[in-house]
Amino acid sequence: MKANNEVYPKAPLTEVVFEIRFPGEPAVECHRDEFFDFVRAQFPVVRVPEMVAETQFKFKTYQFTSEDSAFTVMAGINSLAYSSKRYTGYADFKKQLTPVFNFFCERFKIKSLRRAGFRYINAIPYTRENGSIPLSRFLKSKFVLSPDIPESLEHCSISLVQNLGNGHILTRLETMTAQKSKGEALLLDFDYFKTESLHCKHLMTYLDESHAQAKSFFEHIITDQYRDFLRGNPLL
């Protein structure tokens, strides 16, 4: 799949996340203040995880958030993630997260990785047609569980994992309540990730590859009709 770097003015994105996971590193717990000092200017709001049980505490992440809550860094003993809820394109996203990840990996001597993944979370508002979700207006994928799907689909909650490129993609498709319009929406959440032979020195390569695969996957499954709508045209 070839990535299309077009940024749609009416994109349904609600959040974009890049995350790495690595073997547990106690230095993250011991010197978390040094990391916060590095990100404090951009992420001054600290959200401490609630401790449900003592044995679970070390696996929780601290969240360092911008004042408007649009951007968040999530740091834990075995993971680091960067989240944007105000996505202006991949170039900006990469530029914003690169110094954060570089500092973290160098300061805590993170070498091998267990997972690197790029995640798109979309909420696609829709109006039912004859009581059913007009899935074919948005997605080209066909379900063969029943000859009436997707034309008579009333609700759905689907999770799929498949091989893609040199990694895997986890896709969730689920009906939900739209937060902005208070109507209904389709949650289209997909996460492209790699798990084999990963090293921190190649982190930006993994980021580029994961973004390209996730973006291409989205372009591949949406209809031309919906793509025109994302560009600003009416949804016919």
Side-chain angles (χ1 to χ4, degrees):
M1 295 182 183
K2 184 179 179 181
N4 173 6
N5 291 322
E6 180 178 1
V7 178
Y8 298 116
K10 299 182 71 173
L13 277 174
T14 60
E15 188 174 5
V16 179
V17 182
F18 181 63
E19 181 198 47
I20 59 172
R21 300 176 190 172
F22 45 86
E25 176 50 68
V28 178
E29 294 289 305
C30 299
H31 302 285
R32 196 190 308 273
D33 59 315
E34 295 180 26
F35 180 64
F36 180 52
D37 282 343
F38 181 77
V39 301
R40 185 192 301 266
Q42 291 178 285
F43 307 95
V45 181
V46 181
R47 295 175 180 168
V48 180
E50 294 183 6
M51 186 168 61
V52 178
E54 292 184 4
T55 55
Q56 297 177 346
F57 180 72
K58 65 180 180 179
F59 298 108
K60 298 289 185 178
T61 60
Y62 277 63
Q63 297 186 9
F64 306 115
T65 305
S66 61
E67 290 184 347
D68 61 0
S69 299
F71 306 96
T72 301
V73 174
M74 294 158 278
I77 195 172
N78 58 359
S79 66
L80 176 69
Y82 181 88
S83 162
S84 172
K85 294 182 179 178
R86 192 168 65 227
Y87 187 72
T88 56
Y90 176 65
D92 288 342
F93 183 77
K94 182 178 180 180
K95 182 179 179 180
Q96 292 158 1
L97 71 81
T98 297
V100 174
F101 276 72
N102 285 345
F103 179 88
F104 186 93
C105 291
E106 291 173 9
R107 174 61 187 86
F108 300 120
K109 298 180 174 60
I110 307 301
K111 302 297 183 183
S112 63
L113 302 177
R114 290 178 173 171
R115 190 184 194 275
F118 188 95
R119 185 179 179 192
Y120 275 128
I121 304 173
N122 303 271
I124 304 175
Y126 66 87
T127 301
R128 289 181 179 267
E129 298 179 359
N130 298 320
S132 299
I133 304 168
L135 191 64
S136 59
R137 288 183 175 271
F138 308 108
L139 305 179
K140 291 186 291 188
S141 300
K142 298 292 185 180
F143 298 94
V144 295
L145 299 177
S146 164
D148 295 328
I149 298 177
E151 286 76 13
S152 63
L153 193 63
E154 294 184 12
H155 298 282
C156 69
S157 180
I158 301 168
S159 179
L160 303 168
V161 178
Q162 61 194 99
N163 295 327
L164 183 64
N166 295 317
H168 310 274
I169 193 159
L170 167 63
T171 307
R172 288 178 57 209
L173 183 65
E174 189 171 327
T175 50
M176 58 181 287
T177 300
Q179 294 182 354
K180 293 183 179 180
S181 64
K182 297 183 180 180
E184 291 184 291
L186 279 171
L187 170 69
L188 177 60
D189 178 351
F190 47 92
D191 178 7
Y192 179 85
F193 62 95
K194 298 168 65 70
T195 58
E196 300 294 330
S197 304
L198 305 179
H199 196 282
C200 223
K201 65 182 178 181
H202 302 303
L203 187 59
M204 292 301 109
T205 300
Y206 304 146
L207 173 61
D208 289 339
E209 179 185 345
S210 298
H211 161 259
Q213 291 287 2
K215 176 68 171 176
S216 295
F217 184 79
F218 177 74
E219 294 290 342
H220 178 72
I221 65 174
I222 63 173
T223 64
D224 292 337
Q225 177 188 23
Y226 186 52
R227 185 178 291 106
D228 287 341
F229 170 77
L230 299 182
R231 289 170 173 159
N233 299 315
L235 184 61
L236 302 178

